[in-house]
Amino acid sequence: MKSVQDNCGIFGIFNMPDAARLTYFGLHALQHRGQESCGIVTSTYDEHKKRRVMPARRDFGLVLDTFDDPSIFNNQLLGDAAIGHTRYSTSGSSLNRSNIQPFNVHYKDGNLAVAHNGNLSNARELRRAFSERGTLFQSTSDTEQILHLIATSRRKKQLDQIIDALMQLEGGFALVLLTDDRLFAVRDPNGFRPLALGRYEASGRTAYCVASETCAFDMIGATYIRDVKPGEILIIDRDSCATGEFQSIHLPARYGISQCIFEYIYFSRPDSRIYGEMVDKVRRKIGKQLAHDAPVPRVNAEEKPPIVISVPDSSNTATLGYVNECHKLGYRARYEIGLIRNHYVGRTFIAPGQDKREMKVRCKFNTVDGVLRNRIVVVVDDSIVRGTTAKLLVKMIRKAGAKEVHFRVASPSVVSPCFYGMDFPSHEELIANRFGSIEELGRWLNVDSLAYLSVHSLMKAVRRGNRKAKKGYCNACFTANYPVPIQTGVTKDEND
């Protein structure tokens, strides 16, 4: 599934010298969640200005490129508290430098910075209300509205201002908010986007950190404690770092719990713990369920067994589960590496005289011809969205000499766009909506057979993989059942 882009990654740490450098490493672990731009904001005391300030560094590109100068950490991003963000835009133009997060402002009650993963489903309504009051916007991102809500709140205390602002938000959001003396970690009441709490200890000092995925904790050597709960506002300050006890406030839940199931299918790294369980474990369960729904083709004893290949990297784990379960069910099959992915492809490239989409796929993938030639090939991918990549991969596999090509998808058909933080195409662009049946789509892809995991089977596999999570999941992209109302007429690119 290469047509859906990752949502953003956020990281925050409080009460540790060199906080910016630790945030840098945390963002590096979260780079898969966004490659367009990144940034870090810290909190420190300026001896010349005699007040606390929030220096920032933001730029387009990857984390390693944006923070490649050591002086950034030695001279600019000082302080023992920091938040960071790595971005793929789902709201607001990716070409607008003003949209690069974290955002930070100085207002009547001090400094304030925010990094946001998700989409606000009521962003259009909020923006219209602010515009009518004469509010000026610096960006086209819905995240800026969070700062305006806090700054214009009539509450006296800063904590109450933040709560007042959060109460007005709808949709999917995981936030890290940094003030002059506290770090706030927030998940929306539905829990759409993940956010985890960790503890970091060094030189006799204890700090606490939050991240979109626990792989960021592994990068810096922090210990995972628990997830930030849906609707929770977790407050980290000096006292909590000393005692390990946190002030926790909960936003009212109006629509129940609906954690994004696509985190397990595609977004998160397999070595991360999401919603309390390892992604690797859940993806293997998904692959096993796919084997029950759509196993490999049966062949005669005289024939070579089908080979099963993944579309690297996000479908690797599900493919392993699929092959192992096919064996248990009595099907002959062998796991092979038939596609090689180039991990060093940039965001842009020149493709003169060739179809750009096909060249983009060829820049990212290549076939292992000796593995595929004269074999029955079963391709396992995590999903099909626009279908462009899948069609071109099938073409490449057939050109490599495959005798048959069968496609297995470790998720249901994507039939609806997402408004909670994933960059799904419009309803018309989704390939599942362009064909009347799976058989028709299979003929368009030029495969010998095509099969998807059903919605029922997906939910069954995820619940088996994460028995500790008794809460619900959002599967609106597969069912069009949106757990939080969407404003009529909102389009994915209206702010671009």
Side-chain angles (χ1 to χ4, degrees):
M1 191 277 295
K2 308 297 173 281
S3 297
V4 171
Q5 299 293 337
D6 301 333
N7 48 27
C8 304
I10 58 177
F11 184 90
I13 189 166
F14 191 86
N15 197 46
M16 185 59 61
D18 214 11
R21 199 180 303 271
L22 292 168
T23 301
Y24 160 82
F25 286 117
L27 292 181
H28 180 64
L30 299 173
Q31 186 73 86
H32 61 287
R33 298 184 72 89
Q35 296 87 44
E36 288 183 351
S37 60
C38 57
I40 295 175
V41 172
T42 64
S43 177
T44 187
Y45 186 80
D46 189 312
E47 292 291 347
H48 298 288
K49 296 182 179 179
K50 300 301 179 183
R51 64 177 177 87
R52 296 200 68 84
V53 295
M54 285 190 174
R57 168 79 174 187
R58 292 177 285 262
D59 206 348
F60 295 111
L62 303 178
V63 175
L64 289 175
D65 297 327
T66 299
F67 299 96
D68 60 345
D69 184 354
S71 67
I72 295 172
F73 302 101
N74 299 331
N75 304 322
Q76 180 184 0
L77 297 179
L78 305 176
D80 64 356
I83 63 172
H85 187 272
T86 182
R87 182 174 191 253
Y88 178 81
S89 60
T90 57
S91 174
S93 173
S94 61
L95 303 179
N96 186 344
R97 181 173 291 274
S98 298
N99 288 332
I100 302 176
Q101 297 186 40
F103 296 157
N104 64 304
V105 296
H106 180 80
Y107 79 119
K108 58 183 175 59
D109 288 316
N111 295 290
L112 180 65
V114 61
H116 171 208
N117 172 26
N119 263 15
L120 303 181
S121 58
N122 64 336
R124 187 181 187 183
E125 175 186 336
L126 292 172
R127 192 177 187 93
R128 182 187 298 115
F130 277 121
S131 297
E132 290 175 352
R133 296 202 299 265
T135 301
L136 300 177
F137 288 90
Q138 300 298 315
S139 74
T140 59
S141 170
D142 56 0
T143 307
E144 184 181 357
Q145 298 173 44
I146 300 172
L147 294 177
H148 285 301
L149 287 170
I150 296 172
T152 58
S153 174
R154 296 182 178 181
R155 305 290 176 87
K156 299 298 182 182
K157 296 181 179 180
Q158 189 179 54
L159 173 59
D160 294 331
Q161 295 165 4
I162 292 174
I163 295 171
D164 181 35
L166 296 174
M167 291 278 286
Q168 299 177 61
L169 304 182
E170 292 183 2
F173 55 90
L175 306 173
V176 282
L177 286 155
L178 184 63
T179 68
D180 288 327
D181 56 0
R182 285 173 289 191
L183 176 69
F184 294 80
V186 187
R187 282 180 78 191
D188 68 80
N190 285 75
F192 283 113
R193 309 262 64 90
L195 193 61
L197 172 68
R199 181 176 59 249
Y200 179 77
E201 296 178 338
S203 303
R205 195 164 177 173
T206 298
Y208 286 90
C209 48
V210 291
S212 296
E213 297 183 32
T214 60
C215 61
F217 299 159
D218 299 333
M219 173 67 79
I220 66 172
T223 302
Y224 167 75
I225 299 175
R226 66 174 177 87
D227 281 4
V228 177
K229 299 174 184 177
E232 183 177 17
I233 305 171
L234 188 68
I235 304 170
I236 304 172
D237 57 17
R238 306 294 175 190
D239 290 337
S240 58
C241 289
T243 64
E245 298 179 357
F246 306 94
Q247 183 180 359
S248 180
I249 301 166
H250 288 269
L251 298 169
R254 298 173 57 191
Y255 304 106
I257 304 299
S258 49
Q259 301 172 124
C260 175
I261 204 165
F262 233 94
E263 291 286 349
Y264 280 137
I265 295 170
Y266 174 68
F267 286 137
S268 300
R269 279 176 34 169
D271 54 334
S272 287
R273 186 183 298 273
I274 296 294
Y275 312 140
E277 187 54 85
M278 295 300 298
V279 174
D280 174 85
K281 177 182 175 181
V282 178
R283 282 193 186 153
R284 286 176 189 264
K285 293 289 186 182
I286 292 173
K288 289 181 178 181
Q289 188 62 49
L290 179 62
H292 285 269
D293 285 16
V296 299
R298 285 198 183 276
V299 295
N300 298 327
E302 297 78 20
E303 293 183 88
K304 291 183 178 180
I307 63 171
V308 183
I309 66 172
S310 65
V311 179
D313 293 315
S314 54
S315 63
N316 290 351
T317 306
T319 304
L320 290 172
Y322 177 79
V323 174
N324 290 337
E325 195 68 9
C326 281
H327 289 163
K328 291 180 181 179
L329 295 172
Y331 289 84
R332 296 172 62 214
R334 195 171 78 195
Y335 175 73
E336 288 284 0
I337 298 175
L339 288 171
I340 303 299
R341 181 180 178 186
N342 180 2
H343 291 86
Y344 305 98
V345 178
R347 293 182 59 238
T348 59
F349 56 89
I350 299 173
Q354 299 190 49
D355 180 88
K356 289 185 177 181
R357 288 184 176 180
E358 182 168 351
M359 181 53 66
K360 184 175 182 180
V361 174
R362 290 188 177 277
C363 281
K364 295 178 82 172
F365 300 102
N366 195 27
T367 54
V368 184
D369 292 6
V371 171
L372 303 174
R373 188 174 298 114
N374 297 321
R375 299 301 296 268
I376 297 174
V377 180
V378 180
V379 184
V380 178
D381 203 357
D382 48 74
S383 60
I384 300 178
V385 183
R386 287 187 176 93
T388 305
T389 298
K391 186 177 179 66
L392 291 174
L393 286 176
V394 171
K395 180 180 178 181
M396 291 169 61
I397 293 168
R398 287 202 180 276
K399 188 175 181 181
K403 184 165 63 174
E404 297 179 15
V405 181
H406 302 264
F407 217 98
R408 301 290 183 262
V409 187
S411 67
S413 299
V414 178
V415 298
S416 303
C418 174
F419 297 92
Y420 309 125
M422 295 190 300
D423 184 34
F424 274 156
S426 66
H427 184 275
E428 294 72 23
E429 292 178 286
L430 295 169
I431 195 68
N433 297 327
R434 290 170 49 192
F435 294 91
S437 67
I438 292 178
E439 289 74 23
E440 288 182 28
L441 175 55
R443 286 192 289 272
W444 181 80
L445 290 173
N446 192 27
V447 295
D448 293 274
S449 71
L450 170 65
Y452 286 86
L453 193 66
S454 69
V455 174
H456 173 77
S457 293
L458 172 64
M459 304 312 294
K460 180 179 178 181
V462 170
R463 291 186 178 113
R464 283 181 173 177
N466 189 359
R467 297 184 184 277
K468 292 175 287 187
K470 298 180 181 180
K471 306 297 184 181
Y473 294 97
C474 176
N475 56 18
C477 51
F478 306 126
T479 64
N481 296 324
Y482 293 104
V484 175
I486 304 299
Q487 293 176 12
T488 303
V490 174
T491 62
K492 294 295 292 181
D493 300 318
E494 72 170 33
N495 291 330
D496 285 8

